[in-house]
Every structure is written in C-alpha cells, then in structure tokens.
Amino acid sequence: YSNRGSDAQPMSEIMKAYAAAVTVSLAGALSATFALRRIGSAGGSTATLIRATLPMAAVAASGSANVGLMRRNEWMGPGVRVYDEDGKERGTSTSAGIISWKECSVARVLWNVPSMTIAPLLAGPMCSLPGLNRYPAMVEVALIYAGLVLGVPPALAVYPPIERVDVSRLEPKFQNMTRDNGEPVKQLSFAKGL
C-alpha cells in the first residue's frame, strides 16, 4: 500500500484489496503445494522441471496479483498523477498506472529469482557439509536471506522510481498539450512506486 504511486484510498478499499491479494497469494501457494504433492517423487525430466519451476511461478503470479490488487486505483482509476517537463501537474493517467503495475511486477519477479532458484540449488550441497548438516533449516534461511539481499537492490534498479514516458503512450487527453514556453509536451513523468 505505502509503495504505490497514487493518492490515498479509503480504508475499506485498502482492506478489500488486501484480502483479495492475500487470497490470490494463498491460492497460488496451495495450488503449487498440491501440484508438487501429485507429482510426488516421480522421476523424469518433466517432473523435475515442474518441481524446479512451479514455486517460482507461484511466487511470481502471487506477487504480480498482489501489486495489481493493492494498487488497482492506479490502473483502473483515477490513475497516477503525471507531470510535464517543467514539473507542472497535468492530471491523472490510468495508462501510466498500467505501466507502473507492469514494471513493479517485473521487479518483484526479478528480486525473487536468487532466493527461489540459487538458494535451492545450494542448499543440498551446503547442508551435507560437516558442521552445517546439523542445521539445515538455518542454512536454508541464510541462503534465502542472502538471495533477497542480493536480489532486491538490482531488481529495484531495473526501472527508475520516477518514470518518464512519451505522451503517445498515454491517454488522448495528454496529446497536443503545450508547455509554459509554448513548446509541445513530449514526455510526462510519474512516481512508479515500488
């Protein structure tokens, strides 16, 4: 909620969005767990591929749904505030909200890659080392923590916090605007959020 780029929402809307986001996240996690149990210890490359990729896919889908639901007023309306090259507010844009949702969703998928892919690959070999084999849970938590510490900063750096877009990518109402000096507005900027 606090990482969004739009104005305040009523608490009732926040609670509805939060409940929906939690429901989607739980459904993704439970579906992945169910699918993995059905596969069981079956061999074969298909079963291995599913076991390796399903948790990451569930986390990615849940994260994207969470961003979309918690910040739906950005892409469904009224949108996010956009500013011209002079810093003058030019209105609100749902197209900018959609861009923000997509970029934030990609960042959230990227920041989970190290902890969801590298940590599981390293956990087995590390847990078999003398001294560490007595603390497998601690090893896994440390690897996941390291994955997040190494994954979040670069993922957030993929897109700037203040996004600039050509007016052609936004609603028609932003076309043919002029700046204070009479030049056409070519780009508008907005706070993307996290």
Side-chain angles (χ1 to χ4, degrees), residues 5-110:
S6 62
D7 293 332
Q9 294 174 259
M11 188 55 74
S12 61
E13 289 298 312
I14 294 168
M15 295 312 294
K16 285 181 204 172
Y18 180 76
V22 168
T23 301
V24 168
S25 296
L26 284 173
L30 293 174
S31 297
T33 301
F34 178 74
L36 289 172
R37 283 192 182 143
R38 287 201 54 158
I39 294 168
S41 60
S45 59
T46 303
T48 302
L49 181 65
I50 291 171
R51 275 194 298 276
T53 59
L54 192 58
M56 180 64 197
V59 167
S62 296
S64 199
N66 187 294
V67 171
L69 290 166
M70 289 300 291
R71 296 169 60 171
R72 72 174 183 234
N73 66 331
E74 293 180 12
W75 56 275
M76 288 182 69
V80 294
R81 292 180 187 181
V82 292
Y83 301 87
D84 67 14
E85 293 95 334
D86 301 317
K88 182 178 177 183
E89 184 178 335
R90 293 302 189 129
T92 57
S93 169
T94 55
S95 295
I98 291 170
I99 293 167
S100 174
W101 177 22
K102 289 177 183 177
E103 291 180 357
C104 289
S105 294
V106 168
R108 288 181 185 217
V109 169
L110 292 176

